[in-house]
Every structure is written in C-alpha cells, then in structure tokens.
Coordinates of all heavy atoms in Angstrom, one line a residue:
G1 N -3.5 15.0 11.1 CA -3.6 13.8 10.2 C -4.0 12.7 11.0 O -3.7 12.6 12.2
Y2 N -4.8 11.7 10.4 CA -5.3 10.5 11.1 C -5.0 9.3 10.3 O -5.4 9.3 9.1 CB -6.8 10.7 11.4 CG -7.5 9.5 11.7 CD1 -7.2 9.0 13.1 CD2 -8.4 8.8 11.0 CE1 -7.8 7.8 13.5 CE2 -9.1 7.8 11.5 CZ -8.8 7.2 12.7 OH -9.4 6.1 13.1
G3 N -4.4 8.3 10.8 CA -4.2 7.0 10.1 C -4.7 5.9 10.9 O -4.5 5.8 12.2
R4 N -5.3 4.9 10.2 CA -5.9 3.8 10.9 C -5.6 2.6 10.0 O -6.0 2.5 8.8 CB -7.4 4.0 11.1 CG -8.2 2.9 11.5 CD -9.6 3.3 11.4 NE -10.6 2.1 11.3 CZ -11.5 1.9 12.2 NH1 -11.8 2.8 13.1 NH2 -12.2 0.8 12.1
V5 N -5.0 1.6 10.6 CA -4.8 0.3 9.9 C -5.2 -0.9 10.8 O -5.1 -0.9 12.0 CB -3.3 0.1 9.5 CG1 -3.0 1.1 8.4 CG2 -2.4 0.1 10.6
G6 N -5.7 -1.8 10.1 CA -6.0 -3.1 10.8 C -5.2 -4.2 10.3 O -4.6 -4.1 9.2
N7 N -5.0 -5.1 11.2 CA -4.1 -6.4 10.9 C -5.1 -7.5 10.5 O -5.8 -8.0 11.3 CB -3.3 -6.6 12.1 CG -2.3 -7.8 11.7 OD1 -2.6 -8.5 10.8 ND2 -1.2 -7.7 12.3
P8 N -5.0 -7.9 9.2 CA -6.0 -8.9 8.7 C -5.7 -10.3 9.4 O -6.7 -11.1 9.5 CB -5.8 -9.0 7.2 CG -4.5 -8.3 6.9 CD -4.2 -7.4 8.1
V9 N -4.4 -10.4 9.8 CA -4.0 -11.7 10.4 C -4.7 -11.9 11.7 O -5.3 -13.1 12.0 CB -2.5 -11.8 10.7 CG1 -2.1 -13.2 11.2 CG2 -1.8 -11.6 9.3
C10 N -4.8 -10.9 12.6 CA -5.3 -11.2 14.0 C -6.4 -10.2 14.2 O -7.1 -10.4 15.3 CB -4.2 -10.8 15.0 SG -3.6 -9.1 14.8
G11 N -6.8 -9.3 13.4 CA -8.0 -8.4 13.6 C -7.7 -7.2 14.5 O -8.6 -6.5 14.9
D12 N -6.3 -7.1 14.8 CA -6.0 -5.9 15.7 C -6.0 -4.6 15.0 O -6.0 -4.5 13.7 CB -4.6 -6.1 16.3 CG -4.7 -7.2 17.4 OD1 -5.8 -7.7 17.8 OD2 -3.6 -7.7 17.8
L13 N -6.1 -3.5 15.7 CA -6.4 -2.2 15.1 C -5.4 -1.2 15.7 O -5.2 -1.2 16.9 CB -7.8 -1.8 15.4 CG -8.4 -0.7 14.5 CD1 -8.6 -1.3 13.1 CD2 -9.8 -0.4 15.1
M14 N -4.8 -0.3 14.8 CA -4.0 0.8 15.3 C -4.4 2.1 14.7 O -4.6 2.2 13.5 CB -2.5 0.5 15.1 CG -1.6 1.4 15.9 SD 0.2 1.1 15.4 CE 0.3 -0.5 16.1
E15 N -4.4 3.2 15.6 CA -4.7 4.5 15.0 C -3.6 5.4 15.5 O -3.1 5.3 16.6 CB -6.0 5.0 15.6 CG -7.2 4.2 15.2 CD -8.5 4.7 16.0 OE1 -8.5 4.6 17.2 OE2 -9.5 5.2 15.3
I16 N -3.2 6.3 14.5 CA -2.2 7.2 14.8 C -2.7 8.7 14.5 O -3.3 8.9 13.5 CB -0.8 7.0 14.0 CG1 -0.2 5.7 14.3 CG2 0.1 8.2 14.1 CD1 0.8 5.7 15.4
F17 N -2.5 9.6 15.4 CA -2.9 11.0 15.2 C -1.7 11.9 15.2 O -0.9 11.8 16.1 CB -3.8 11.4 16.4 CG -5.0 10.5 16.6 CD1 -4.8 9.3 17.4 CD2 -6.2 10.8 16.1 CE1 -6.0 8.5 17.6 CE2 -7.3 10.0 16.4 CZ -7.1 8.8 17.1
I18 N -1.6 12.7 14.3 CA -0.4 13.5 14.3 C -0.9 15.1 14.1 O -1.8 15.4 13.4 CB 0.5 13.4 13.0 CG1 -0.1 13.4 11.6 CG2 1.3 12.0 13.2 CD1 0.8 13.4 10.5
K19 N -0.1 15.9 14.8 CA -0.3 17.4 14.6 C 1.0 17.9 14.0 O 2.1 17.6 14.5 CB -0.4 18.0 16.0 CG -0.8 19.5 16.0 CD -0.9 20.0 17.4 CE -2.2 20.0 18.1 NZ -2.1 20.6 19.4
V20 N 0.8 18.6 12.9 CA 1.9 19.1 12.1 C 2.0 20.6 12.1 O 1.0 21.3 12.1 CB 1.8 18.6 10.6 CG1 2.9 19.0 9.7 CG2 1.6 17.1 10.5
R21 N 3.3 21.1 12.4 CA 3.5 22.5 12.3 C 4.7 22.8 11.5 O 5.8 22.1 11.8 CB 3.5 23.2 13.6 CG 3.5 24.7 13.7 CD 3.7 25.2 15.1 NE 2.6 24.8 16.0 CZ 1.4 25.5 16.2 NH1 1.2 26.6 15.5 NH2 0.6 25.0 17.1
D22 N 4.8 23.7 10.5 CA 6.0 24.0 9.8 C 6.6 22.7 9.2 O 7.8 22.6 9.2 CB 7.1 24.7 10.6 CG 6.5 26.1 11.1 OD1 5.6 26.6 10.5 OD2 6.9 26.5 12.3
G23 N 5.8 21.9 8.7 CA 6.3 20.6 8.1 C 7.0 19.5 9.0 O 7.4 18.6 8.5
K24 N 6.7 19.8 10.4 CA 7.3 18.8 11.3 C 6.1 18.2 12.2 O 5.1 18.9 12.4 CB 8.2 19.5 12.2 CG 9.6 19.9 11.5 CD 10.7 20.0 12.4 CE 12.0 20.0 11.7 NZ 13.0 20.9 12.2
I25 N 6.4 17.0 12.6 CA 5.4 16.5 13.5 C 5.6 16.9 14.9 O 6.6 16.6 15.6 CB 5.5 15.0 13.4 CG1 5.2 14.4 12.0 CG2 4.6 14.2 14.5 CD1 5.3 12.9 11.8
E26 N 4.7 17.8 15.2 CA 4.8 18.6 16.6 C 4.4 17.6 17.7 O 4.9 17.6 18.7 CB 4.1 19.8 16.5 CG 4.2 20.7 17.8 CD 3.3 21.9 17.7 OE1 2.1 21.9 17.8 OE2 4.0 23.0 17.4
D27 N 3.3 16.9 17.4 CA 2.8 15.9 18.4 C 2.2 14.8 17.7 O 1.7 14.8 16.6 CB 1.7 16.6 19.2 CG 1.5 16.0 20.6 OD1 2.3 15.1 20.9 OD2 0.5 16.3 21.3
I28 N 2.2 13.7 18.4 CA 1.8 12.4 17.9 C 1.3 11.5 19.0 O 1.9 11.4 20.1 CB 2.9 11.7 17.0 CG1 2.5 10.2 16.6 CG2 4.2 11.7 17.8 CD1 3.4 9.8 15.5
K29 N 0.0 10.9 18.7 CA -0.5 10.0 19.7 C -1.0 8.7 19.0 O -1.3 8.7 17.8 CB -1.7 10.8 20.3 CG -1.3 12.1 21.0 CD -1.9 12.2 22.4 CE -1.4 13.2 23.3 NZ -0.8 14.3 22.9
F30 N -1.2 7.7 19.8 CA -1.8 6.5 19.2 C -2.8 5.9 20.1 O -3.0 6.3 21.3 CB -0.6 5.5 19.1 CG -0.1 4.9 20.4 CD1 -0.7 3.7 20.9 CD2 0.9 5.5 21.1 CE1 -0.2 3.1 22.1 CE2 1.3 4.9 22.3 CZ 0.8 3.8 22.8
R31 N -3.7 5.1 19.4 CA -4.6 4.4 20.2 C -4.6 3.0 19.5 O -4.9 2.8 18.2 CB -6.0 4.9 19.9 CG -7.1 4.3 20.8 CD -8.3 5.1 21.0 NE -9.0 5.5 19.7 CZ -10.0 6.2 19.5 NH1 -10.5 6.9 20.6 NH2 -10.5 6.4 18.4
T32 N -4.3 2.0 20.3 CA -4.1 0.6 19.8 C -5.0 -0.4 20.4 O -5.0 -0.5 21.6 CB -2.6 0.2 19.9 OG1 -1.9 1.1 19.0 CG2 -2.4 -1.2 19.3
F33 N -5.7 -1.1 19.6 CA -6.4 -2.3 20.2 C -5.7 -3.5 19.6 O -5.8 -3.9 18.5 CB -7.9 -2.2 19.6 CG -8.7 -3.4 20.1 CD1 -9.1 -3.5 21.3 CD2 -9.0 -4.4 19.1 CE1 -9.9 -4.7 21.7 CE2 -9.7 -5.5 19.4 CZ -10.1 -5.7 20.8
G34 N -4.8 -4.0 20.5 CA -4.0 -5.2 20.0 C -3.2 -5.8 21.0 O -3.3 -5.5 22.2
C35 N -2.2 -6.6 20.5 CA -1.3 -7.4 21.4 C -0.2 -6.4 22.0 O -0.1 -5.3 21.6 CB -0.7 -8.5 20.6 SG 0.5 -8.0 19.4
G36 N 0.6 -7.0 22.9 CA 1.6 -6.3 23.5 C 2.6 -5.8 22.6 O 3.1 -4.5 22.6
A37 N 2.9 -6.5 21.5 CA 4.0 -6.0 20.5 C 3.3 -4.9 19.7 O 4.1 -4.0 19.4 CB 4.3 -7.2 19.6
A38 N 2.0 -4.9 19.5 CA 1.4 -3.9 18.7 C 1.4 -2.5 19.6 O 1.7 -1.4 19.0 CB 0.0 -4.2 18.3
I39 N 1.2 -2.7 20.9 CA 1.2 -1.5 21.8 C 2.6 -1.0 21.9 O 2.8 0.3 21.8 CB 0.6 -1.8 23.0 CG1 -0.9 -2.1 22.9 CG2 0.8 -0.7 24.1 CD1 -1.6 -2.8 24.1
A40 N 3.6 -1.9 22.0 CA 5.0 -1.5 22.1 C 5.4 -0.7 20.9 O 6.1 0.3 20.9 CB 5.9 -2.6 22.5
T41 N 5.1 -1.2 19.7 CA 5.5 -0.5 18.4 C 4.8 0.8 18.2 O 5.4 1.7 17.7 CB 5.4 -1.5 17.3 OG1 4.1 -2.1 17.2 CG2 6.3 -2.7 17.3
S42 N 3.6 0.9 18.7 CA 2.8 2.1 18.6 C 3.6 3.1 19.4 O 3.9 4.2 18.9 CB 1.5 2.1 19.1 OG 0.7 0.9 18.8
S43 N 3.9 2.8 20.6 CA 4.5 3.7 21.4 C 5.9 4.1 20.9 O 6.4 5.3 20.9 CB 4.7 3.1 22.8 OG 5.4 3.9 23.7
M44 N 6.7 3.2 20.4 CA 8.0 3.4 19.8 C 7.9 4.4 18.7 O 8.7 5.2 18.6 CB 8.7 2.0 19.6 CG 10.1 2.2 19.0 SD 11.2 3.3 20.1 CE 11.9 2.0 21.2
I45 N 7.0 4.2 17.9 CA 6.9 4.9 16.7 C 6.6 6.4 17.0 O 7.0 7.4 16.3 CB 6.0 4.3 15.5 CG1 6.5 4.9 14.2 CG2 4.5 4.8 15.7 CD1 6.2 4.0 13.0
T46 N 5.8 6.6 18.1 CA 5.6 8.0 18.4 C 6.8 8.7 18.9 O 7.1 9.8 18.6 CB 4.4 8.1 19.6 OG1 4.9 7.5 20.7 CG2 3.1 7.6 19.1
E47 N 7.6 8.0 19.6 CA 9.0 8.5 20.1 C 9.9 8.7 18.8 O 10.6 9.8 18.9 CB 9.7 7.4 21.0 CG 8.9 7.2 22.2 CD 8.9 8.4 23.2 OE1 9.9 9.2 23.2 OE2 7.9 8.5 23.8
M48 N 9.9 7.9 17.9 CA 10.7 8.0 16.8 C 10.2 9.1 15.8 O 11.2 9.8 15.2 CB 10.8 6.7 15.9 CG 11.4 5.6 16.6 SD 11.1 4.0 15.8 CE 12.3 4.1 14.5
A49 N 9.0 9.4 15.6 CA 8.5 10.4 14.7 C 8.3 11.7 15.3 O 8.4 12.7 14.5 CB 7.1 9.9 14.1
R50 N 8.2 12.0 16.6 CA 8.0 13.2 17.1 C 9.2 14.2 16.8 O 10.3 13.8 17.0 CB 7.9 13.2 18.7 CG 7.4 14.5 19.3 CD 7.1 14.4 20.8 NE 5.9 13.7 21.0 CZ 5.7 12.6 21.5 NH1 6.7 12.0 22.1 NH2 4.4 12.0 21.7
G51 N 8.9 15.4 16.3 CA 9.9 16.3 16.0 C 10.5 16.1 14.5 O 11.3 17.0 14.2
K52 N 10.2 15.0 13.9 CA 10.8 14.8 12.6 C 9.9 15.5 11.5 O 8.8 15.8 11.7 CB 10.8 13.3 12.3 CG 11.8 12.5 13.1 CD 12.4 11.4 12.2 CE 13.6 10.8 12.7 NZ 13.4 10.1 14.0
S53 N 10.7 15.8 10.3 CA 9.9 16.4 9.3 C 9.1 15.2 8.6 O 9.3 14.1 8.9 CB 10.8 16.9 8.2 OG 11.6 15.8 7.5
L54 N 8.0 15.7 7.9 CA 7.2 14.6 7.3 C 8.0 13.7 6.3 O 7.7 12.5 6.3 CB 6.0 15.3 6.5 CG 5.0 16.1 7.3 CD1 4.0 16.8 6.4 CD2 4.4 15.3 8.4
E55 N 8.9 14.3 5.6 CA 9.8 13.4 4.8 C 10.6 12.4 5.6 O 10.6 11.2 5.2 CB 10.7 14.2 4.0 CG 10.1 15.2 2.9 CD 9.5 16.4 3.5 OE1 10.0 16.8 4.7 OE2 8.5 16.9 3.0
E56 N 11.2 12.9 6.7 CA 11.9 11.8 7.5 C 11.0 10.9 8.1 O 11.3 9.7 8.1 CB 12.6 12.7 8.7 CG 13.7 13.5 8.2 CD 14.2 14.5 9.3 OE1 13.3 14.9 10.2 OE2 15.3 14.8 9.4
A57 N 9.8 11.3 8.6 CA 8.9 10.3 9.2 C 8.4 9.3 8.1 O 8.2 8.2 8.5 CB 7.7 11.1 9.8
M58 N 8.3 9.7 6.9 CA 7.8 8.8 5.8 C 8.9 7.8 5.6 O 8.5 6.7 5.2 CB 7.6 9.7 4.6 CG 6.5 9.4 3.7 SD 4.8 9.1 4.5 CE 3.9 8.6 3.4
R59 N 10.1 8.0 5.9 CA 11.1 7.0 5.6 C 11.4 6.0 6.8 O 12.2 5.2 6.6 CB 12.5 7.8 5.4 CG 12.6 8.5 4.0 CD 14.0 8.7 3.6 NE 14.5 9.7 4.4 CZ 14.6 11.0 4.2 NH1 14.0 11.5 3.1 NH2 15.1 11.9 5.0
I60 N 10.6 6.2 7.9 CA 10.7 5.2 9.0 C 10.1 3.9 8.3 O 8.8 3.9 8.0 CB 10.0 5.7 10.2 CG1 10.6 6.9 10.7 CG2 10.0 4.5 11.3 CD1 9.9 7.6 11.9
T61 N 10.8 2.9 8.4 CA 10.2 1.6 7.9 C 9.7 0.6 9.0 O 10.0 0.9 10.1 CB 11.4 0.9 7.1 OG1 12.4 0.4 8.0 CG2 12.0 1.7 6.0
R62 N 9.0 -0.3 8.5 CA 8.6 -1.4 9.4 C 9.7 -2.0 10.2 O 9.6 -2.2 11.4 CB 7.9 -2.5 8.6 CG 6.7 -2.0 7.8 CD 6.2 -3.1 6.9 NE 4.8 -2.9 6.4 CZ 4.1 -3.8 5.8 NH1 4.7 -4.9 5.4 NH2 2.8 -3.6 5.5
N63 N 10.8 -2.2 9.5 CA 11.9 -2.8 10.2 C 12.6 -1.8 11.2 O 13.1 -2.3 12.3 CB 13.1 -3.3 9.2 CG 12.7 -4.5 8.6 OD1 12.0 -5.3 9.2 ND2 13.2 -4.8 7.5
D64 N 12.7 -0.5 10.9 CA 13.2 0.4 11.8 C 12.5 0.3 13.2 O 13.2 0.4 14.3 CB 13.0 1.9 11.4 CG 13.8 2.2 10.1 OD1 14.8 1.4 9.9 OD2 13.5 3.1 9.4
V65 N 11.2 0.2 13.2 CA 10.4 0.1 14.5 C 10.8 -1.1 15.2 O 11.1 -1.0 16.5 CB 8.9 0.2 14.1 CG1 8.1 0.2 15.4 CG2 8.5 1.3 13.1
A66 N 10.9 -2.2 14.6 CA 11.3 -3.4 15.3 C 12.7 -3.3 15.8 O 13.0 -3.7 16.9 CB 11.2 -4.7 14.3
D67 N 13.6 -2.8 14.9 CA 15.0 -2.6 15.4 C 15.2 -1.7 16.6 O 15.9 -2.0 17.5 CB 15.9 -2.0 14.3 CG 16.1 -3.0 13.2 OD1 15.8 -4.2 13.3 OD2 16.6 -2.5 12.1
A68 N 14.4 -0.6 16.7 CA 14.4 0.3 17.7 C 14.0 -0.5 19.1 O 14.5 0.0 20.2 CB 13.4 1.4 17.5
L69 N 13.3 -1.5 19.0 CA 12.8 -2.2 20.1 C 13.8 -3.4 20.4 O 13.5 -4.3 21.2 CB 11.4 -2.8 20.0 CG 10.3 -1.8 20.1 CD1 9.0 -2.3 19.5 CD2 10.1 -1.3 21.5
D70 N 15.0 -3.3 19.8 CA 15.9 -4.5 19.9 C 15.3 -5.8 19.3 O 15.6 -6.9 19.8 CB 16.4 -4.7 21.3 CG 17.5 -3.6 21.7 OD1 18.1 -3.1 20.7 OD2 17.6 -3.4 22.9
G71 N 14.5 -5.7 18.3 CA 14.0 -6.9 17.6 C 12.7 -7.5 18.3 O 12.4 -7.0 19.5
L72 N 12.0 -8.2 17.5 CA 10.7 -8.8 17.9 C 10.9 -10.3 17.6 O 11.5 -10.6 16.7 CB 9.6 -8.2 17.3 CG 9.0 -6.8 17.7 CD1 8.1 -6.3 16.7 CD2 8.5 -6.8 19.1
P73 N 10.2 -11.1 18.3 CA 10.2 -12.5 17.9 C 9.5 -12.6 16.5 O 8.7 -11.9 16.2 CB 9.2 -13.2 19.0 CG 9.0 -12.2 20.1 CD 9.4 -10.9 19.5
P74 N 10.0 -13.6 15.8 CA 9.6 -13.7 14.4 C 8.1 -13.7 14.2 O 7.5 -13.1 13.3 CB 10.2 -15.0 13.8 CG 11.3 -15.3 14.8 CD 11.0 -14.6 16.1
Q75 N 7.4 -14.4 15.1 CA 6.0 -14.5 14.9 C 5.2 -13.2 15.3 O 4.0 -13.1 15.2 CB 5.4 -15.7 15.7 CG 5.4 -15.6 17.2 CD 6.8 -16.0 17.8 OE1 7.7 -16.0 17.2 NE2 6.7 -16.5 19.1
K76 N 6.0 -12.2 15.8 CA 5.3 -11.0 16.2 C 5.7 -9.9 15.2 O 5.4 -8.7 15.4 CB 5.8 -10.6 17.6 CG 5.2 -11.3 18.7 CD 3.8 -10.7 19.0 CE 2.8 -11.8 19.4 NZ 1.5 -11.2 19.5
M77 N 6.5 -10.2 14.1 CA 7.0 -9.2 13.2 C 5.9 -8.4 12.6 O 5.9 -7.3 12.3 CB 8.0 -9.7 12.2 CG 9.5 -9.9 12.7 SD 10.1 -8.4 13.4 CE 10.5 -7.4 12.0
H78 N 4.7 -9.2 12.2 CA 3.6 -8.7 11.5 C 3.0 -7.6 12.4 O 2.4 -6.6 11.8 CB 2.6 -9.7 11.1 CG 1.9 -10.2 12.3 ND1 2.2 -11.3 13.1 CD2 0.6 -9.8 12.8 CE1 1.3 -11.5 14.0 NE2 0.4 -10.6 13.9
C79 N 3.1 -7.7 13.7 CA 2.5 -6.6 14.5 C 3.2 -5.3 14.3 O 2.5 -4.3 14.5 CB 2.6 -7.0 16.0 SG 2.2 -8.7 16.3
S80 N 4.5 -5.3 14.2 CA 5.3 -4.0 14.1 C 5.0 -3.3 12.7 O 5.1 -2.1 12.6 CB 6.7 -4.3 14.2 OG 7.2 -5.0 13.0
N81 N 4.4 -4.1 11.8 CA 4.0 -3.5 10.4 C 3.0 -2.4 10.7 O 2.9 -1.5 9.9 CB 3.6 -4.6 9.5 CG 4.6 -5.5 9.2 OD1 5.8 -5.3 9.5 ND2 4.3 -6.5 8.5
L82 N 2.1 -2.7 11.5 CA 1.0 -1.7 11.8 C 1.5 -0.3 12.0 O 0.9 0.6 11.6 CB 0.1 -2.2 13.0 CG -0.8 -3.4 12.8 CD1 -1.5 -3.7 14.1 CD2 -1.8 -3.1 11.6
A83 N 2.5 -0.3 12.9 CA 2.9 1.1 13.5 C 3.5 2.0 12.2 O 3.0 3.1 12.1 CB 4.0 0.9 14.4
A84 N 4.3 1.5 11.4 CA 4.8 2.2 10.2 C 3.6 2.5 9.3 O 3.6 3.6 8.7 CB 6.0 1.4 9.6
D85 N 2.8 1.5 9.0 CA 1.8 1.8 8.1 C 0.7 2.8 8.5 O 0.3 3.7 7.8 CB 1.0 0.5 7.8 CG 1.9 -0.6 7.1 OD1 3.0 -0.2 6.7 OD2 1.4 -1.7 6.9
A86 N 0.5 2.8 9.8 CA -0.4 3.7 10.4 C 0.2 5.2 10.4 O -0.6 6.2 10.1 CB -0.9 3.4 11.9
L87 N 1.5 5.2 10.7 CA 2.1 6.6 10.7 C 2.0 7.2 9.2 O 1.7 8.3 9.0 CB 3.6 6.4 11.1 CG 4.4 7.7 10.9 CD1 3.9 8.8 11.8 CD2 5.9 7.4 11.2
H88 N 2.4 6.3 8.2 CA 2.5 6.7 6.9 C 1.0 7.1 6.4 O 0.8 8.1 5.8 CB 3.0 5.7 5.9 CG 4.4 5.4 6.3 ND1 5.0 4.3 5.8 CD2 5.3 6.1 7.0 CE1 6.3 4.3 6.3 NE2 6.5 5.4 7.1
A89 N 0.0 6.4 7.0 CA -1.3 6.7 6.5 C -1.8 8.1 7.1 O -2.5 8.9 6.5 CB -2.4 5.6 7.0
A90 N -1.4 8.3 8.4 CA -1.6 9.6 9.0 C -1.0 10.8 8.2 O -1.6 11.9 8.0 CB -1.2 9.6 10.4
I91 N 0.3 10.6 7.7 CA 0.9 11.6 7.0 C 0.3 11.8 5.6 O -0.1 13.0 5.3 CB 2.5 11.2 6.7 CG1 3.2 11.2 8.1 CG2 3.1 12.2 5.8 CD1 4.5 10.7 8.0
N92 N -0.1 10.8 5.0 CA -0.9 10.9 3.7 C -2.2 11.6 3.9 O -2.6 12.5 3.1 CB -1.0 9.6 3.0 CG 0.2 9.0 2.4 OD1 1.0 9.8 2.0 ND2 0.4 7.8 2.4
D93 N -2.9 11.3 5.0 CA -4.2 12.0 5.3 C -3.9 13.4 5.6 O -4.7 14.3 5.0 CB -4.7 11.3 6.6 CG -6.1 12.0 7.0 OD1 -6.9 12.0 6.2 OD2 -6.1 12.5 8.2
Y94 N -2.9 13.8 6.3 CA -2.6 15.2 6.5 C -2.4 15.9 5.1 O -2.9 17.0 4.9 CB -1.4 15.4 7.5 CG -0.8 16.8 7.4 CD1 -1.5 17.7 8.1 CD2 0.3 17.1 6.7 CE1 -1.0 19.1 8.2 CE2 0.7 18.4 6.6 CZ 0.2 19.4 7.3 OH 0.7 20.7 7.3
L95 N -1.5 15.3 4.3 CA -1.2 15.9 3.0 C -2.4 16.0 2.1 O -2.5 17.1 1.5 CB -0.1 15.1 2.4 CG 1.3 15.1 3.0 CD1 2.3 14.1 2.3 CD2 1.9 16.5 3.1
S96 N -3.3 15.1 2.2 CA -4.4 15.2 1.3 C -5.4 16.3 1.9 O -6.0 17.0 1.0 CB -5.1 13.9 1.0 OG -5.8 13.5 2.2
K97 N -5.5 16.4 3.1 CA -6.4 17.4 3.8 C -5.8 18.8 3.4 O -6.5 19.7 3.1 CB -6.4 17.3 5.2 CG -7.4 16.2 5.7 CD -7.4 16.1 7.2 CE -8.2 15.0 7.8 NZ -7.7 14.6 9.1
K98 N -4.5 18.9 3.4 CA -3.9 20.2 3.2 C -4.1 20.7 1.8 O -4.3 21.8 1.5 CB -2.4 20.0 3.5 CG -1.7 21.4 3.9 CD -0.3 21.1 4.2 CE 0.5 22.2 3.5 NZ 1.9 21.9 3.4
Q99 N -4.1 19.7 0.8 CA -4.3 20.1 -0.6 C -5.6 20.7 -0.8 O -5.8 21.4 -1.6 CB -4.1 18.8 -1.4 CG -2.8 18.7 -2.1 CD -2.5 17.5 -2.9 OE1 -3.5 16.7 -3.0 NE2 -1.4 17.2 -3.3
K100 N -6.6 20.2 0.0 CA -8.0 20.6 -0.3 C -8.3 22.0 0.2 O -9.1 22.7 -0.2 CB -9.0 19.6 0.4 CG -9.1 18.3 -0.3 CD -10.2 17.6 0.3 CE -10.1 16.1 0.1 NZ -10.1 15.3 1.3
H101 N -7.3 22.5 1.1 CA -7.5 23.9 1.7 C -6.7 24.9 1.0 O -5.7 24.7 0.4 CB -7.3 23.8 3.2 CG -8.2 23.0 4.0 ND1 -9.6 23.3 4.1 CD2 -8.1 21.8 4.5 CE1 -10.2 22.3 4.7 NE2 -9.3 21.4 5.0
Ligands
LIG1 FE1 -2.4 -8.6 16.3 FE2 0.1 -8.4 17.2 S1 -1.2 -10.1 17.4 S2 -1.0 -7.0 16.1

C-alpha cells in the first residue's frame, strides 16, 4: 500500500509504503520531504506500526505519534499529523487494491 499526504500549511510532503502479510504490516518505509519534526514523526510511525495488524495500525492517532516522541512544540504539532494521515492512507490504498483482486 502507498500513502501520500501533503501539508497545506508548509507545502511539505510525506509518503508511506507498507508491505502486508497475513493482515499484518510486515514492512514499512517512509520518504519525507519536510522539516525535522516531519522526519522524526515519519520515522517514529514506522517503528510504531511495524508488526501491527491493519486494525491496530489504523487506530494510531496523530496524538499517539507526538506522544511517542515525548511531545512536540505546539507550533510543530501540525507536522505530526502527516505521519498518521499517511499511514492511514497507505492502509486504505492496500485495502482498496486488495478488493479489486
Ligand atoms: Fe512542514 Fe513540519 S513544517 S511538516
């Protein structure tokens, strides 16, 4: 599955790639064009989602990602939204591709 989200505030971009086997995220990678907080949250969400079922990964919220990093400065919170949104987009992409086959 592949998810890509842009941040309209700053124009930054995050992509998440997942490999799913038996309903679990076997592997996950990111490519981020953005600020330090965006890169940190991309990296953190790959750690959080690896090995999880799709349902569990879907429940990872924007706040969970920021909490896992021990918080972000308030003006950087919007950067952490990209990570959860990109992960969820990748899962939805996987599910919609699977339906077609
Ligand atoms: Fe753009 Fe952080 S400033 S994602």
Side-chain angles (χ1 to χ4, degrees):
Y2 168 68
R4 169 188 160 124
V5 291
N7 188 329
V9 181
C10 59
D12 290 347
L13 199 67
M14 188 182 297
E15 295 172 297
I16 297 264
F17 306 81
I18 55 170
K19 191 190 264 182
V20 179
R21 193 185 297 270
D22 299 331
K24 288 200 166 142
I25 298 182
E26 184 179 74
D27 200 10
I28 173 164
K29 300 223 162 32
F30 71 90
R31 185 161 64 181
T32 296
F33 176 76
C35 69
I39 294 166
T41 50
S42 320
S43 177
M44 181 52 89
I45 207 154
T46 63
E47 297 295 324
M48 293 168 79
R50 187 173 289 115
K52 287 216 165 66
S53 71
L54 295 179
E55 292 76 28
E56 289 168 330
M58 220 44 187
R59 284 199 295 267
I60 298 175
T61 66
R62 295 168 161 192
N63 278 338
D64 292 341
V65 186
D67 287 350
L69 287 164
D70 282 338
L72 285 169
Q75 72 273 25
K76 284 279 146 190
M77 280 307 285
H78 74 271
C79 315
S80 69
N81 296 348
L82 285 180
D85 292 356
L87 172 65
H88 298 162
I91 294 171
N92 285 329
D93 177 58
Y94 166 79
L95 292 173
S96 74
K97 281 179 185 155
K98 207 178 135 196
Q99 257 175 14
K100 283 192 209 124
H101 292 292

